[in-house]
Amino acid sequence: MAFFIASSPHTQKRRSLSNMMMLVAVCAIPGILAQTYFFGFGTLFQIAFAILVAWTFESLVMLLRGRSPLLALRDNSALVTALLFAIAIPPLSPWWITVIGLFFAIVIAKHLYGGIGQNLFNPAMVAYVVLLISFPVQMTSWLTPAQISASPVGATDALSLIFSGFNLDGMSLQQIRTGVDGITMATPLDTIKTGLGNGQTLSEITHSSLFSAIAGLGWEWVNIMFLIGGVIMLKLKVIQWYIPVGVLGGVLLTSLLLFAIDPGSLGTPLFQLFSGATMLGAFFIATDPVSAATTIKGRVIFGALIGALIVIIRTFGGFPDGVAFAVIIANMCVPLIDYYTQPRTYGHK
């Protein structure tokens, strides 16, 4: 019998990188459909445009490096980076947000570090953090779910808003986001943070139609769909359970502790689990095999650190959702985590 030796990482199912990346993209479809249903066709337009931009940057960089663009595009890593970035940004973000973001993701965060397998940070999250700090208005311009919106945005209006800044009636995104009562629409996480800062109680804030029994209206279903996609990836062994369980455990334990200290100033643990980008972050972002910890114990710690930071940033930070910041900070800690969780060498005393 022939004995074959393969280099790490070792998996139980032999799959190419392109196949693994494509499975990640396919498993994200339930969450994408839910996000499109509640927040409009802008999500699909952003995904299509982001993939085109990412492929363009990937090809140009590979040509500058004297390598084959087709070989790089076949691994589907640029596609997944574009997909995750497009899901994370508001569906009606202007087109230039996507171009700037993917320039940082593909050119800076990925290729300046040596290309795929060499990047220290998750490229999509680097792009998101840079844009959130630089353009906070555009990066927090989410609409309320179409089901309760006084003026839902259709497909043609969404396309016009993304590429021209105005809908077919000549209204800007800011005008659409501001209702007839003069109050600008906000996400559930942002609504809670703003309301608590204005002296309202948690029960008063969550009494709004923007909230459901579990979390924010629409957001709980988006998280449930990404959870289903994540479970499918676990079943197909595309990812392992260590990081997702660590992230969700970190969110649950940290929110339980803070909720026990002051129930009136923080959403319930269930609210934290099914709000914002929790499930997207746990299954699709934190599990990036390049920028995550490599040891088994290290992956659990890495995930738990992300989960704890998500809740801490949401509660005490200046931004309503902390997934991107939590992932980047945890990426910085990977060398330290790996150093202290290395398994003992066989025969070591």
Side-chain angles (χ1 to χ4, degrees):
M1 293 179 61
F3 181 72
F4 297 98
I5 300 177
S7 61
S8 62
H10 303 290
T11 60
Q12 294 181 0
K13 291 183 177 292
R14 297 184 64 183
R15 292 194 179 103
S16 64
L17 175 62
S18 61
N19 183 247
M20 294 282 282
M21 293 291 105
M22 185 57 69
L23 284 173
V24 171
V26 170
C27 290
I29 290 176
I32 293 170
L33 293 177
Q35 189 163 311
T36 302
Y37 176 76
F38 286 104
F39 300 104
F41 288 97
T43 298
L44 298 181
F45 295 142
Q46 293 287 3
I47 290 172
F49 182 60
I51 291 173
L52 179 62
V53 172
W55 280 347
T56 301
F57 282 135
E58 185 87 358
S59 299
L60 290 174
V61 173
M62 293 304 288
L63 287 172
L64 290 172
R65 297 178 66 184
R67 299 184 182 182
S68 169
L70 289 178
L71 190 61
L73 295 178
R74 284 174 188 164
D75 64 25
N76 291 323
S77 61
L79 181 146
V80 171
T81 297
L83 182 71
L84 295 178
F85 173 81
I87 294 170
I89 65 174
L92 299 180
S93 300
W95 63 271
W96 50 267
I97 283 285
T98 299
V99 174
I100 295 173
L102 288 171
F103 173 81
F104 275 94
I106 301 297
V107 180
I108 306 297
K110 180 180 178 181
H111 282 288
L112 281 189
Y113 282 92
I116 187 168
Q118 305 297 322
N119 50 286
L120 301 179
F121 304 101
N122 185 294
M125 292 301 96
V126 168
Y128 186 90
V129 167
V130 168
L131 290 172
L132 187 59
I133 294 172
S134 304
F135 309 102
V137 174
Q138 289 79 6
M139 289 296 289
T140 54
S141 297
W142 287 84
L143 296 178
T144 55
Q147 289 68 22
I148 62 171
S149 175
S151 54
V153 177
T156 52
D157 278 334
L159 195 61
S160 180
L161 281 163
I162 292 170
F163 290 101
S164 73
F166 300 91
N167 67 3
L168 298 180
D169 294 325
M171 294 178 65
S172 67
L173 178 59
Q174 188 62 25
Q175 290 174 316
I176 293 173
R177 292 184 69 238
T178 304
V180 292
D181 56 359
I183 300 174
T184 302
M185 303 173 187
T187 63
L189 284 168
D190 193 37
T191 300
I192 287 182
K193 182 178 287 292
T194 303
L196 292 173
N198 292 333
Q200 292 180 280
T201 64
L202 189 61
S203 59
E204 289 174 340
I205 299 169
T206 55
H207 190 67
S208 164
S209 60
L210 191 61
F211 295 87
S212 67
I214 299 176
L217 181 65
W219 289 96
E220 78 276 37
W221 282 108
V222 172
N223 275 277
I224 289 170
M225 291 298 105
F226 279 121
L227 172 60
I228 291 173
V231 171
I232 293 173
M233 286 200 296
L234 289 171
K235 183 68 175 177
L236 296 175
K237 301 188 185 301
V238 176
I239 60 174
Q240 295 177 307
W241 63 266
Y242 312 115
I243 293 175
V245 169
V247 173
L248 300 183
V251 170
L252 182 61
L253 293 176
T254 307
S255 57
L256 275 172
L257 177 62
L258 293 177
F259 190 73
I261 295 172
D262 189 359
S265 64
L266 183 71
T268 65
L270 194 61
F271 177 85
Q272 293 291 339
L273 284 170
F274 291 95
S275 293
T278 303
M279 296 300 171
L280 175 66
F283 290 95
F284 292 88
I285 296 173
T287 52
D288 173 27
V290 178
S291 57
T294 57
T295 65
I296 292 176
K297 290 181 181 178
R299 289 173 183 171
V300 176
I301 295 171
F302 174 79
L305 176 61
I306 292 174
L309 287 171
I310 288 172
V311 178
I312 291 170
I313 294 170
R314 285 177 178 176
T315 307
F316 305 107
F319 297 97
D321 200 358
V323 172
F325 289 98
V327 170
I328 295 298
I329 293 170
N331 289 158
M332 296 178 186
C333 299
V334 164
L336 185 67
I337 293 172
D338 282 345
Y339 179 81
Y340 283 105
T341 57
Q342 292 181 63
R344 285 181 175 270
T345 306
Y346 182 74
H348 177 81
K349 293 185 179 180

